[in-house]
Amino acid sequence: MTEQRPTQGSAVLSWMPVAAMAVVAGADVVAGPGVGLLPLVSLGPAFSGLVGGWRRTALIGALALFVCVALGMYDGLFEERRGFTAMASVAGVTGVGIAAAVTRSRREAELASVRSIAEVAQRVLLRPVPRTAGPLQAAVSYTSAVAEARIGGDLYEVVASPHGIRVIVGDVQGKGLTAVETAAVVLGAFREAAHDEPDLVGLGERLERSVARELEGEKFVTAVLAEIGSDHRVVFLNYGHPAPMVVRRDGGVDFPQPLAYALPLGLGAHGSEGPKPYRVDFAPGEQLLLYTDGVTEARDTNGSFYPLGERADLLKEPDAGRALEALREDLVRHVAGPLHDDAAMLLLRYHGHGEGKSVPIE
């Protein structure tokens, strides 16, 4: 089995076994044989079994036995049972430490394999969005609520279809593999229907049918669909999702709301009417940010939500990718710790002037 080397973050822990034995040896020499500190030399291999590999634990154990023998001879403990008892204690702890290190190394290898599989699944599920799509420049950011996680229930996609640039950003209710499976269903249906359906309403209805077939009970997916054509407007279809943010050329910020709120995907069977599409002016030089509620509902230590509209100036960076990364870093600083929910952001920039308001589609 491969030895696991300590990382920079565990440098202090990696030296703890040696430090513990040095402290015990020094205290034993100062205090003398009457105090009975010699068995504490076994702290060295005990700590090593927790933070090091099995080879390192065996080496620390051998060093501990050497120290034990040396101190036992110095204190004259081998003339009685105490010296041999101390050696047995060190040997026993070393054996247990080696077994613990082997078990931990195996689990770390299994975890690394699972993470590798998750990364592959993430690349299949959430493929990199195209850097350019027609007149648009695109960038995406995904921040997991779990530091070691690579996959979650947030989803996004950009498709250049015959009917315009079509975009989706969504958030699956729940966590874990069930949420991932649902996200895969939504993305698969969107990628196919985006090329086939002539209008955004038909695309949304097709997604609703696909999700309804897969979901059970009260599970759902909030999502916002967008279509950018050649008329300097964007059409939105909102299924219970946070309103997109439009950054105008003059730095102004709009959060265009739907004219009527609709239920998320998967709840259409409850008999409510589907969402109504609405248009918003979107011209060259402007930016469109679609995001999940993990962004706007991120709280700082005082419980204040992340002020996304006030941070729009961070998107002035000429490169879309670096601009979105600056916004993501600001979000992480606001929370000052791990996020409580996954946060996905998709930034679209229209190359080259304009502003406007929501306009219903007849």
Side-chain angles (χ1 to χ4, degrees):
M1 184 172 296
T2 304
E3 177 81 12
Q4 298 290 328
R5 295 184 178 181
T7 62
Q8 271 191 328
S10 63
V12 175
L13 291 177
S14 68
W15 284 102
M16 188 178 293
V18 176
M21 290 188 297
V23 170
V24 171
D28 184 85
V29 170
V30 173
V35 180
L37 296 176
L38 194 56
L40 293 180
V41 174
S42 61
L43 287 174
F47 284 139
S48 183
L50 294 175
V51 300
W54 69 269
R55 290 189 179 90
R56 177 181 173 82
T57 302
L59 180 61
I60 294 294
L63 179 60
L65 281 173
F66 175 79
V67 172
C68 185
V69 171
L71 290 177
M73 294 177 65
Y74 175 79
D75 294 333
L77 298 181
F78 287 106
E79 298 176 1
E80 48 184 306
R81 294 182 179 179
R82 292 172 58 191
F84 296 102
T85 301
M87 288 184 62
S89 174
V90 172
V93 172
T94 299
V96 172
I98 291 174
V102 169
T103 301
R104 180 173 50 79
S105 296
R106 286 176 177 169
R107 289 179 178 174
E108 289 176 352
E110 292 173 357
L111 181 58
S113 177
V114 170
R115 288 175 180 166
S116 176
I117 294 172
E119 289 174 359
V120 173
Q122 182 81 324
R123 287 194 293 270
V124 172
L125 179 62
L126 296 178
R127 301 177 303 199
V129 300
R131 293 180 61 87
T132 59
L136 304 178
Q137 184 183 35
V140 69
S141 168
Y142 191 106
T143 305
S144 174
V146 182
E148 298 299 328
R150 295 291 187 270
I151 195 165
D154 287 1
L155 57 95
Y156 52 81
E157 183 60 288
V158 177
V159 173
S161 78
H163 315 288
I165 308 301
R166 289 179 166 176
V167 180
I168 184 173
V169 169
D171 187 358
V172 179
Q173 178 210 24
K175 302 293 182 184
L177 289 178
T178 302
V180 174
E181 292 172 356
T182 302
V185 170
V186 175
L187 286 173
F190 175 80
R191 286 163 181 162
E192 180 180 356
H195 289 279
D196 299 338
E197 296 296 334
D199 60 73
L200 207 58
V201 174
L203 173 55
E205 291 174 348
R206 191 154 159 185
L207 289 180
E208 178 66 59
R209 291 193 297 269
S210 297
V211 172
R213 285 195 299 267
E214 297 293 332
L215 296 187
E216 299 177 356
E218 297 297 318
K219 295 181 180 179
F220 58 85
V221 181
T222 68
V224 59
L225 279 64
E227 179 181 288
I228 301 98
S230 57
D231 58 353
H232 292 179
R233 286 187 174 186
V234 54
V235 182
F236 292 114
L237 202 61
N238 196 314
Y239 288 88
H241 199 77
M245 182 175 77
V246 181
V247 183
R248 304 301 179 185
R249 288 199 59 186
D250 60 4
V253 176
D254 293 336
F255 288 89
Q257 303 283 344
L259 301 178
Y261 287 92
L263 292 176
L265 292 167
L267 300 181
H270 291 251
S272 66
E273 191 175 1
K276 299 295 184 182
Y278 60 101
R279 287 192 178 98
V280 175
D281 292 347
F282 184 49
E286 298 181 335
Q287 303 183 79
L288 171 62
L289 182 71
L290 306 177
Y291 53 91
T292 58
D293 60 9
V295 176
T296 49
E297 294 182 2
R299 298 173 182 263
D300 62 12
T301 53
N302 297 320
S304 301
F305 291 115
Y306 182 69
L308 179 60
E310 299 175 12
R311 299 295 199 269
D313 60 323
L314 295 173
L315 298 176
K316 292 180 179 179
E317 164 69 40
D319 181 79
R322 287 197 293 268
L324 195 57
E325 178 61 19
L327 187 62
R328 189 198 71 83
E329 291 175 353
D330 185 71
L331 173 66
V332 173
R333 283 194 298 269
H334 175 83
V335 177
L339 300 179
H340 297 293
D341 194 8
D342 295 344
M345 295 184 286
L346 176 62
L347 178 64
L348 298 173
R349 283 182 169 177
Y350 205 130
H351 293 304
H353 329 290
E355 60 181 323
K357 302 177 180 179
S358 301
V359 179
I361 296 177
E362 301 297 337

